[in-house]
Amino acid sequence: MNQPDGSLKLFPLFDVSMFTGKPTDSVRSNRDWIGAIYYRIIQKSYNDRKYYTLLGFDDYNISSNKKWMEVLTFSRSNGEPIFGGPYFSFQEDSVRRPLQYRFNIEYKKDAATRFNYDPQMDMIMYDHLVPEGDEPNRKDSYIPDGDFEGFKWQDGMWVHVEKKIFEFKLKDGQFPQEQKVRDEGGGINEQKLQEQSEKNIQKSEKAKKATPAKPPDRAKRGRPKDN
């Protein structure tokens, strides 16, 4: 963090993500941070205050990965970082959920997923995930189905967009395989993930343009603590 005198103040981050059962319902400091490798920062403002939304990758365990969405602010009294807060709303969903202090998706280890900010739509978009088999509780079986969900910035919080933004479905065999999203060292290559996601979006837009519009139906007109 840059100081008024031009000096740089550093805050060490202590990752406690493996030691908490409720990572989405609490405000945290640098001493009890939910760890991730951040690949995107989106700056937003509300009531003359700046909010930095962090998008990060977490090599969670042997069978699944996570991607996190975290809002970072700084204390006005001492300048220390504050991670999280009641910034994730599901108020427009068909089934209401409580406010979350941070948000994540968990998915199969070798699945290529998009989770990024789209400047044209001014939204954070991510893949809609579905289980491969009949075990919805197994997050390590979740893969993208070609549709998207998202969050829009509204009145100082990220509001979930439940409806699928694109209705394009990947055909059989189009799902990105592991060798396309990993580098030579076996690590996740975020650039390749992004490139694949952009290709999916372009295909979606072409499919929507090729679909004739349906004529209108005239008859129908007329805060909890972490344990």
Side-chain angles (χ1 to χ4, degrees):
M1 180 178 179
N2 291 322
Q3 301 296 298
D5 62 1
S7 62
L8 183 64
K9 185 176 182 180
L10 301 177
F11 296 93
L13 300 177
F14 299 95
D15 184 2
V16 300
S17 56
M18 298 303 292
F19 307 101
T20 178
K22 296 182 178 181
T24 62
D25 68 354
S26 55
V27 175
R28 294 172 178 268
S29 70
N30 60 301
R31 291 173 289 277
D32 56 356
W33 169 65
I34 301 297
I37 300 173
Y38 298 126
Y39 56 87
R40 189 70 182 264
I41 301 177
I42 304 103
Q43 181 179 320
K44 293 290 184 180
S45 298
Y46 182 69
N47 287 343
D48 297 324
R49 187 171 189 183
K50 293 181 179 179
Y51 299 83
Y52 302 91
T53 301
L54 313 175
L55 303 182
F57 170 77
D58 177 11
D59 187 13
Y60 185 56
N61 60 34
I62 193 172
S63 58
S64 68
N65 294 325
K66 286 185 176 183
K67 286 188 177 178
W68 284 96
M69 186 173 172
E70 174 91 78
V71 174
L72 168 66
T73 55
F74 292 91
S75 170
R76 290 174 173 172
S77 60
N78 56 23
E80 292 190 355
I82 302 171
F83 293 94
Y87 301 124
F88 298 93
S89 169
F90 302 87
Q91 64 190 25
E92 297 184 2
D93 285 12
S94 56
V95 178
R96 296 288 183 90
R97 286 187 278 171
L99 285 171
Q100 289 186 197
Y101 284 58
R102 59 188 50 81
F103 178 81
N104 76 83
I105 60 172
E106 185 177 353
Y107 55 93
K108 186 176 179 179
K109 198 71 174 179
D110 61 357
T113 61
R114 173 189 170 93
F115 197 125
N116 219 326
Y117 176 68
D118 188 311
Q120 292 184 341
M121 299 187 71
D122 192 22
M123 292 179 62
I124 291 175
M125 296 169 50
Y126 63 95
D127 282 299
H128 180 257
L129 303 176
V130 294
E132 284 184 300
D134 297 326
E135 299 180 85
N137 292 328
R138 282 191 54 193
K139 294 299 184 181
D140 60 356
S141 72
Y142 276 64
I143 60 173
D145 68 352
D147 287 332
F148 294 93
E149 300 177 60
F151 284 93
K152 59 184 178 181
W153 183 254
Q154 182 176 303
D155 298 329
M157 62 176 60
W158 287 104
V159 179
H160 183 240
V161 179
E162 183 182 37
K163 66 180 182 179
K164 292 160 186 175
I165 303 169
F166 296 101
E167 295 186 358
F168 170 74
K169 296 283 187 179
L170 289 175
K171 297 179 180 179
D172 292 342
Q174 286 186 316
F175 183 75
Q177 300 300 315
E178 179 178 3
Q179 62 269 23
K180 295 182 180 180
V181 299
R182 292 184 180 273
D183 56 30
E184 295 181 354
I188 294 293
N189 188 317
E190 287 294 335
Q191 181 179 353
K192 290 184 179 180
L193 291 183
Q194 178 69 15
E195 290 173 355
Q196 183 61 49
S197 295
E198 295 299 334
K199 290 179 181 178
N200 290 347
I201 291 175
Q202 291 174 9
K203 290 178 182 178
S204 170
E205 292 174 345
K206 289 180 181 179
K208 289 175 68 178
K209 290 179 180 178
T211 303
K214 183 178 180 181
D217 188 345
R218 298 179 183 273
K220 292 183 179 180
R221 284 188 176 273
R223 269 185 223 227
K225 297 183 179 179
D226 185 38
N227 292 333

